[in-house]
Amino acid sequence: MPHPRPAYDPLPKHYLGAIYGHPVVQGQPPPGAPPADRGGVWDLKQGVYRPPRGGQWSYHPAGPTGFDGTWTYSP
């Protein structure tokens, strides 16, 4: 007998959660970050991504629900 297919997409490996709908996967930078920022570390307590080069990416919510915000880099 065949196994039923799940009704959802499986989560990516190293998935930690989400910030305003943006998936948080360990080692993957947020949307808009350069590819060179891969391999960094997410700090979910502060809601920031720290790339290997230093500095951090943080999300600034906007709009009535916060989902229209942007990711910004600060050294």
Side-chain angles (χ1 to χ4, degrees), residues 1-72:
M1 178 176 271
H3 293 285
R5 289 182 35 149
Y8 57 88
D9 292 334
L11 296 174
K13 190 174 183 177
H14 306 294
Y15 178 80
L16 301 174
I19 297 175
Y20 285 95
H22 298 274
V24 174
V25 179
Q26 194 68 292
Q28 289 186 3
D37 282 355
R38 291 184 66 87
V41 177
W42 282 97
D43 180 349
L44 290 181
K45 188 172 185 178
Q46 294 183 349
V48 298
Y49 177 78
R50 293 189 174 91
R53 66 180 163 134
Q56 67 184 17
W57 286 90
S58 58
Y59 185 77
H60 300 281
T65 60
F67 289 94
D68 297 325
T70 58
W71 287 95
T72 56

